[in-house]
Amino acid sequence: MTEQRFNKAGFDEKLASHKLMASRCEECGRMYLPPKPMCTNCYSDNLEWVEAGTNGTLEAFTIVYIASTAMIEAGYGRENPHCSGIVKLENGLSISAQILGVNTALPETIKIGAPVEAVFLERGEGEEKKTFLAFDVK
Amino acid sequence: MAKFRPLSRGVAVVGAGMSKFGAFPGKSTRDLFVEAFLEMRDSVDKGFNPAEVDALYIGNFSSDLFEGQGHTAPIMAEWVGLAPKPAVRVEDACASSGVALRQGILAIASGVADIVLVGGIEKMTDLPTAEVTDTLATASDMLYEIPAGFTFPGFYASMATSYMHKFGATPESFMKVGIKNHENGALNDKAQFGKTIRQVMDDKIAKSEARGLPIPVWENEIAFLQDARANPIIAWPMRLFDCSPISDGAAALLLVSEDLANKFSEDPLYILGTGQASDVALHERENLTGLRAAREAARQAYLMSGVTPADIQVAEVHDCFTIAEVIAIEDLGFFPEGEGYRAAETGVTGRTGEKPINTSGGLKSKGHPVGASGAGQVIEIWKQMRGLAGDRQVAGELEFGLTHNVGGTGGTCTVHIFGRR
Ligand SMILES: [Zn+2]
């Protein structure tokens, strides 16, 4: 049996193959997104990977004008603000992600509760290449 | 929920002092801490001998990244002449010195110490804004929240969009909190922004006039704050004047056991309640418009003190962003859920209102040197309750005050209740 890494490295590996994966406790059924290596509900360490699903709704958002260094390197910032938010998936799990398909110049038009679908963004070249989670407003 | 146990030994504040908050090129945290210490020393009614201090607890978020200095506790102890007394640095993001205060209280309550120095320090202005943004971001989940493009203002802005959606508040509701806190800060000589929003606006008009530029026309403060050139968006709906500034500063408090208090002062400020709690990352919470850690910390502090939200006459709450004050006054039980956003507009939380909030100017106007902010809040309560707050003094005999200090997006919260017995 290959080692299952319910951590950031394991999560990123799945993201790279365009899968959003959670960990699920085999004892009590509780799911964790981001994945946790131990169930914090029943304290079992018997977990498995499960698909977190790709559809959800927008719970909260912001349009970021003063961006982090990493987002500035990705081409965002005052002149090109981006939307980040929290998405609630159909199975009840929530996750932070960049939000696409919105008019950042008209934040009033962005609706909390709007249906969204996961997309996978590739940033960087060669060794530096990494996959980031985002959601597209449908 | 935490078990309720009263302190086995009472604790009182008998001295409080702070540096000015602001941007001070050429001053390091130790310089600022010495300033705070000296003011604290002079505030002790009957004086005190620093050699009698048993321990130092100092809040400091990130001198490591802000000024390239780790292991700050012994340095602060050395600079105020406390070595070889134990010196403990406490790091819980922006709640660092609220937690340091609690640790100092617990040290005295345990009987291990009789006299404790509690402090807070931060020196943020040496770094460019982008690096300050990145450094503050380390108080959140660097693996899962920051790769989503969030910044610190972005988290609170997201709480704001959730709050607006749920309760019908608007960006203008939050602006009114900023206007109120700037009015208070204008009366505080320690504040980084000693100006009302009206004064900031008039200064901009005067500057344009002096330079022969077109003179901007703003009907009132809200119109000024809605103008993206005057008040740029940081993370919508949070604009520049919704955000606390990048600050340098230090604060110092002297805590003693209750049985020793009258050796230092005939009018000590007693710690009636202390509470602290933690919480998960923002995206894992059921509710984005309240902080569970704040509600739990408040519950503990109210229970320990026997004081109710209605009894509190003056409070300093953690307004790192204007939305944060709205959420705080609801979490503390001062206002029902979904009604806190009206408080600044109706004047209830103003200096002359029923429930004065952030009479110091709050973090918004006074400044937010993150590791010093929690201890800094206590200084305002100390001043207000002793009648030393000058032009911003709340009227009447003040019996109960409260401080509310949040770390990160609510991963940590402490609440303290003070009384004059
Ligand atoms: Zn389980």
Side-chain angles (χ1 to χ4, degrees), chain B residues 241-254:
Chain B
F241 282 100
D242 288 295
C243 305
S244 54
I246 295 165
S247 315
D248 306 332
L253 307 169
L254 191 66

Side-chain angles (χ1 to χ4, degrees), chain A residues 25-30 32 39-44:
Chain A
C25 174
E26 297 200 49
E27 307 299 329
C28 75
R30 181 73 68 94
Y32 296 95
C39 177
T40 53
N41 181 48
C42 77
Y43 301 98
S44 163

